[in-house]
Amino acid sequence: MSEQPTDLRETVRRRYAAAAVKVTDGLSACCGPEPVEADENFGSTLYAADERDALPAGAVAASLGCGNPTAVAELRAGERVLDLGSGGGIDVLLSARRVGPTGKAYGLDMTDEMLALALANAEKAGTTNVEFLKGTIEAIPLPANTIDVVISNCVINLSTDKPAVFAETFRVLKPGGRVGLVDVVADDALTPDQRAERGDHVGCIAGALSFTEYRQGLEAAGFTGVEITPTHPVADGMVSAIVRATKPETTAAPLATAGVADVRCGVNACCTLAETPRDPALTVTEARTASGCGCQN
């Protein structure tokens, strides 16, 4: 029997908490921290040597991703960037350097141990234009229309509610904002059971979407210009891929044509993948809770 979503989330939390503790303990050892992931398809070896050398050892050692989203997001000076599942902070620190002192980089993570490690790494790096937030990627604790770029490094595949992740990503992005992330993606021919045979959920394999599912999920949330580009294999029929998409400058039309708005629920397009809160200061979940309305079909 498969694990329930709450059980899977706790399994993921424990795995990353243990990784953070390992790195933190290693920082106090004479030889420094060892990388928490030895597989060549994941971890700090996917970053350029000059990037690794410019960061605190704790940020590099805690890297568990399947790529380098800061290299594909085309970050520009002055932009506000959000990293979903920021871990030890490697992508937040690199993003902060790219957007410069007039920009800002946010990191979102649900694991206290990783957040503590990320804060320590930011302090060691002397980086001041960063902020780390505690929360889940299914309910981002930021207002709507405030972020220029959302990045993520092999984290969305860990979520058990990917439509919520896509909807929340769309909500916090400014009109014209963009997504530039890396994630594990499966061949369309692989069934969920076949993906599970190739690795577990916390190992970024079992929970991966197929190419078609990923594209459809982003488009259902309202994104346009979706591009999914494979980079390297991570398992049989599964690859690390660069994912890009854009939030349209005008987003009212898709919601108006949905035809399922329910004002009682405090959200537009209630019960669809593209729903957004009527109050932009709230998440979809908060809007529903405040109005006492669930999703009713």
Side-chain angles (χ1 to χ4, degrees):
M1 180 180 296
S2 61
E3 291 185 84
Q4 295 300 310
T6 53
D7 296 332
L8 281 171
R9 176 177 288 179
E10 177 59 19
T11 299
V12 170
R13 190 201 65 77
R14 286 199 304 267
R15 189 256 178 133
Y16 286 89
V21 170
K22 177 181 178 181
V23 171
T24 300
D25 289 346
L27 289 170
S28 61
C30 63
C31 299
E34 291 292 327
V36 293
E37 186 67 59
D39 190 326
E40 64 181 6
N41 296 318
F42 297 86
S44 62
T45 58
L46 299 174
Y47 294 82
D50 61 335
E51 290 180 315
R52 299 196 304 268
D53 294 343
L55 295 175
V60 176
S63 174
L64 286 158
C66 55
N68 179 359
T70 64
V72 303
E74 300 176 356
L75 302 179
R76 298 185 283 267
E79 290 188 318
R80 294 162 67 90
V81 185
L82 169 64
D83 180 19
L84 301 180
S86 50
I90 185 170
D91 294 319
V92 176
L93 298 181
L94 289 173
S95 296
R97 294 174 60 191
R98 290 175 182 263
V99 301
T102 60
K104 187 167 184 178
Y106 293 92
L108 174 64
D109 207 279
M110 68 176 181
T111 308
D112 290 328
E113 293 84 352
M114 277 296 185
L115 288 168
L117 178 60
L119 287 168
N121 287 330
E123 183 176 357
K124 288 178 182 177
T127 306
T128 58
N129 60 333
V130 301
E131 183 176 347
F132 291 97
L133 308 169
K134 183 177 181 180
T136 67
I137 62 176
E138 297 85 2
I140 300 171
L142 285 172
N145 306 316
T146 55
I147 298 297
D148 295 295
V149 188
V150 171
I151 65 173
S152 185
N153 195 347
C154 206
V155 171
I156 294 176
N157 59 71
L158 297 172
S159 173
T160 57
D161 190 354
K162 294 175 181 65
V165 177
F166 295 146
E168 279 289 89
T169 299
F170 190 88
R171 180 185 68 82
V172 300
L173 279 171
K174 298 176 182 178
R178 61 195 188 278
V179 168
L181 56 89
V182 290
D183 210 357
V184 172
V185 183
D187 287 349
D188 287 334
L190 291 183
T191 67
D193 286 343
Q194 289 172 326
R195 298 170 212 173
E197 291 171 356
R198 286 155 171 76
D200 60 14
H201 195 94
V202 297
C204 302
I205 301 298
L209 295 174
S210 69
F211 281 87
T212 296
E213 290 167 344
Y214 222 117
R215 179 180 298 277
Q216 290 177 342
L218 286 168
E219 290 176 344
F223 286 101
T224 59
V226 178
E227 298 178 0
I228 306 175
T229 307
T231 58
H232 60 273
V234 298
D236 184 22
M238 308 185 76
V239 298
S240 173
I242 296 168
V243 181
R244 294 186 176 95
T246 303
K247 178 175 179 176
E249 291 284 353
T250 302
T251 60
L255 296 177
T257 58
V260 289
D262 186 340
V263 296
R264 295 176 303 146
C265 291
V267 296
N268 296 303
C270 182
C271 305
T272 76
L273 294 174
E275 64 184 1
T276 58
R278 294 185 182 278
D279 182 351
L282 300 177
T283 66
V284 169
T285 301
E286 289 170 340
R288 284 182 178 170
T289 301
S291 60
C293 184
C295 198
Q296 301 172 355
N297 293 313

